[in-house]
Amino acid sequence: MQASPSQSIVVNVGQSLERLEDYALLTGRGQFADDLGVKPGTLHAAIVRSPHAHARLIGIDASAALALEGVRAVLTRDDVMQWAAPFAVGVKQPMEHWCLAVDKVRYVGEPVAVVIAEDRYVAEDGADLVSVEYEPLPAVVDIRDTVEAGAPVLHEKVGSNVVSDRSFRYGDPEAAFALAPRRVSLTIEYPRNSCTPIECNVVVAEYLGGDDGYDVLSNFMGPFSLHTVMALALKVAGAKLRHRTPRDSGGSFGVKQSALPYVVLMCLASRKAGAPVKWVEDRLEHLTAATSATARLTTIEAAVHADGKIEALRYHQFDECGGYLRAPEPATFYRMHGCLTGPYAIPNLQVRNRVVLTNKTPSGLVRGFGGPQVYFALERLVQRISVELGIDHLEVIRRNLVPANAFPYRAVAGGLLDSGNYQAALSKAQSEGDLQELYRRRDEARKAGKLYGIGFAAIVEPSISNMGYITTVMTPEARAKAGPKNGAIASATVAIDPLGSVSVIVASAPAGQGHRTVLAQVVSDVFGLRPQDITVNVEFDTQKDAWSIAAGNYSSRFAGAVAGTAHLAAQKLKAKLCAVAASQLKCQPDDIAFAQGKVFSTQAPGPTLPFNRLTAAFHWSPGTFDEGIAPGLRETVFWTPDVLTAPDERDRINTSAAYGFVFDICAVEVDRSTARVRIDKYITTHDAGRLLNPALADGQIRGGFAQGVGAALFEEFHYDEDGNFQSGTFADYLVPTTCEIPTPVIVHLETPSPFTPLGAKGVGEGNNMSTPVAIANAVADALSVRDIKLPLTAPRVHALLTTLTTSEPIHA
Amino acid sequence: MIKSSLLTRPLPLAPLAGKGWGEGRITAHDSSMKPAPFAYLRAASAEEALSALNEFGGDSRILAGGQSLMPMLAMRIVQPSCLIDISRTEDLNYIRVADDHLTIGAAATQATVEWRPTLAQEVPLLKIAFPWISHFQIRNRGTLCGSMAHADPSAELPLCLLALGGELLLRSHRAQRIVPAKEFFQGMLQTALESSELLVEVHFPLRQPGQRYGFTEFAQRHGDFAIVAVAAVVTDNAIRLAVGGVEDRPHAINWPNLNGSALSDALDEFSKSLDARDDPHASAEYRRHLVRELGRRAISEAC
């Protein structure tokens, strides 16, 4: 007897399905930007860059380069000022950022000219021949120096290196601090670092002439709100800047946002040369001049009760954004603004945010964006509260966590923490990670005179950014004038062709995460098909695809927003199929179900319809349908989370649609001899709502963890005191390899989000936020020190060790 | 050019020269590599390499394994007019025991030496040092002589040669000479090689009865350039300790066989006498600290 389809409905969502992407990638069929063919006659660009951190640009002489055989054109500031405009930015100040230096250079590596030639060799030869005259100026390198009287000013018309200064208060922080039995404070600095993709930026641009604008293929990842910045800079309508992304991207981690100025630059280069132009960023260019995580100097203070309960928090923060404030900066501050109190129920908050400029590479998106900076300060402070009050660290965390029955919980700065059970996550981490064993190891090691420490970090991991959060940088009055901004629109299109095959199109610009796999899982479930029956196209074309400003691959928005929207689009299409199926099967549309390629009624056993026969009818015989059923099988859905409203008049802002929870336990031993930090055990606990594909979620966790270890122990962009960049190769900028990364124990909890279509939240950035500070806390515990600077390289830890009184045991 | 620490090392920059053979491009349309123009000669023999050196002298560079030279070319840190490729010269690709030395020719790769079945008996110090040298993929291509000629102050192979008191055979079109390791290494990427000379072979002294060997190093990551590397040669009545990564070249010291506090004092004094580098990777103070720690370890663990 044949089983009825309803008895064997397969659910693909939640399974660790193997990646549909991997066959192509493992057999050399990847479609990366640099591999794709270009039009015959495409030229190649090399960029002349500033060797100075700060200098007046006196003159550019390209004649020797132009005389070189094979050089076709040299783009300079005169062209750029004629054809383009400065980049728009969210802070109103009299400062201009063009795609080429115009009056001054403000960081080492700033583009000054573009040599366009028949191949990259000749272009590089030509770049060597461009003569640029500079008048060097003193540079500002250290955050602290930016506000010093007499410091060199980068943008003279601003008159200061502070380009934004906003203060916020929530609750009654002054009263809380005045009444607090204890105050604990810390001044702490998060360094410049990055998450370096294997593939650097690639742009192929063509000026189309006439009124046709520009056609660009690049591995820019979004947010596509920046497409408007590009189009405005090129002085064309949005639709006249066609931007396409290839199917595959060799990693992004936020960093491919930095393709933004180069898209504009290469469009102009193509216009100058009269031919398509291709530019592939090399590693030296990438490390020097692409982007960096924003460095932050924070003074953080807590008003604390004797039991460790935090009554108020105060942040005084400086974000160091480099030579220019480049969109979406100063978003590093404001992405986290609504959840500055982390996973804690803290009723009073005071914040002062100052954005300062230095003679360094412009900062921007780097995986974790804003999170590592906030939590490095906040979670170090919580550890200090534990030390200064003499209360167990875990107990301080536990006493301050948002109660499990309080969700959705409105944090004081406006973040609406959607769901969770932080206490349960702590318990699970302790038992599955065997914390007792780590305490035992610590006791034993310390008895033997070793330096062993245990650190914790508890964080909320925001996902699906509110596109309006950046307007928190404006005063309420300025916002009222400009009009409200909010939302996080995702879009997805699902279509079924005449043979009944299903295709999905999204504007998610993935960089290796496995979006195609997850979308196939999500959509196959809706139609009772197999994942391999679903064709997912993730190439993104701004001229043809459904998209809005939030499109792109950032803020961990895929699982919650994009996959959820694909689900909604598939449901919409399914509703149409159900209406026709119901009339054919003589039942109600609500009774129709799909499984194993069949369509049937759940109420009456009887005939089943093959899926492809039902769908074919839409193409071959629309005339037979009842009235009200439109022909065609292609549905697009735009979705935005209702909870993402604009900042209110008291500056409260729900910065993200969903907030996962991460709780990490880290045990380290510091070798007295070499000062190397060895991670003995690492436990990372995640509640990212409903997991769509647990194996992919674990992959995200492992990747973020590796980068978190990098930030904690190895990676930093170094500049000397004159602003010369010193980390231009992978022998200088140390990314950990598999040899340096231990395997973390991963613990999961699933508390679905009530605000996303599938209950999923982001999981891609948590460890970038939690791991650096969990390791820092472990080292602080091992050495009993307060001031921790990242990365904790062996030489730096050695310097810490030498400051300790060697005659006394560290753990008295 | 943009500066980074790898790039700021003082290098003899060859001017762009218009002379030379042919067009001098390996592949003109591969846009993923972009050195300045150079002529390329694949030498079939040592003789051919020497005559090319004679003709081009200081404007040319010997290419063997290319593990350091190729990245420097791609970044245009070096811009030789001519590359003389000796990687396929059969008469320079040899490893043999001659007199009391293991003699390694200029074209022999590190991997072929590393996996020589008799290496542990012949030059035990090399056997224990090899796993510290970068990664196996790099040792598959890199040559021993290339590492000597490149003279990175952190490199393990020059350190081992100095520790053992080895020698190098340099040959020009007209003459040849043997130079002790101590005289060969003259500073950061600086050697005794004249522009017309080829480093033909390197001589590692064979194991001596009664000698024990120790090697250790510290690097931030597995396979990185050492912040400090140390090699020790210990006998019942003497210690020879060589350190790399600290000064601009490897540095060796001889002691009677010390132990206990006398050894600590000697290590302390030695570490203080070194002109230790201070750079973004490590402070001079930390390097001195490692000399003491690793020096003691290499000596005590010598076997």
Side-chain angles (χ1 to χ4, degrees), chain A residues 409-477:
Chain A
Y409 174 85
R410 181 71 72 179
V412 68
L416 184 61
L417 306 183
D418 51 332
S419 67
N421 186 337
Y422 302 166
Q423 292 77 6
L426 256 64
S427 302
K428 211 169 176 209
Q430 278 175 266
S431 57
E432 292 188 24
D434 200 356
L435 180 60
Q436 286 310 315
E437 162 63 13
L438 295 182
Y439 285 138
R440 195 194 59 73
R441 283 188 210 176
R442 183 170 68 179
D443 289 344
E444 204 168 83
R446 286 181 178 178
K447 257 182 229 154
K450 292 179 177 172
L451 301 170
Y452 195 102
I454 297 174
F456 303 97
I459 67 150
V460 293
E461 176 185 0
S463 51
I464 314 171
S465 283
N466 186 345
M467 299 308 281
Y469 74 62
I470 191 62
T471 61
T472 318
V473 72
M474 301 159 77
T475 61
E477 300 72 47

Side-chain angles (χ1 to χ4, degrees), chain B residues 63-220:
Chain B
L63 172 65
Q67 298 303 291
S68 300
L69 183 55
M70 295 310 289
M72 294 199 299
L73 284 170
M75 288 192 279
R76 298 190 173 214
I77 300 168
V78 289
Q79 303 191 353
S81 63
C82 177
L83 275 190
I84 303 164
D85 183 352
I86 60 162
S87 64
R88 292 177 229 201
T89 50
E90 281 186 23
D91 61 347
L92 289 172
N93 189 2
Y94 55 85
I95 308 165
R96 55 180 173 243
V97 174
D99 302 324
D100 52 353
H101 292 118
L102 183 69
T103 297
I104 298 156
T109 65
Q110 295 167 18
T112 54
V113 179
E114 180 181 4
W115 298 109
R116 181 176 165 85
T118 49
L119 185 67
Q121 288 81 53
E122 290 158 351
V123 189
L125 180 62
L126 275 185
K127 189 70 188 174
I128 58 176
F130 265 119
W132 294 96
I133 301 173
S134 198
H135 302 272
F136 75 85
Q137 295 90 337
I138 288 167
R139 301 198 294 273
N140 281 344
R141 300 284 287 187
T143 62
L144 269 83
C145 287
S147 176
M148 304 294 170
H150 184 57
D152 189 291
S154 300
E156 291 85 357
L157 290 165
L159 176 67
C160 290
L161 191 71
L162 181 72
L164 294 172
E167 297 170 338
L168 305 99
L169 175 65
L170 281 43
R171 187 182 295 163
S172 73
H173 198 49
R174 286 187 193 81
Q176 68 175 37
R177 59 183 175 134
I178 287 184
V179 178
K182 189 177 181 341
E183 290 167 29
F184 181 78
F185 301 109
Q186 300 191 339
M188 173 87 74
L189 311 191
Q190 304 281 322
T191 69
L193 273 166
E194 299 286 340
S195 61
S196 61
E197 282 180 320
L198 173 69
L199 170 52
V200 173
E201 60 183 37
V202 58
H203 300 165
F204 278 91
L206 295 177
R207 167 178 215 151
Q208 298 294 307
Q211 277 188 346
R212 303 188 299 279
Y213 307 92
F215 188 97
T216 190
E217 72 174 46
F218 184 85
Q220 297 270 18

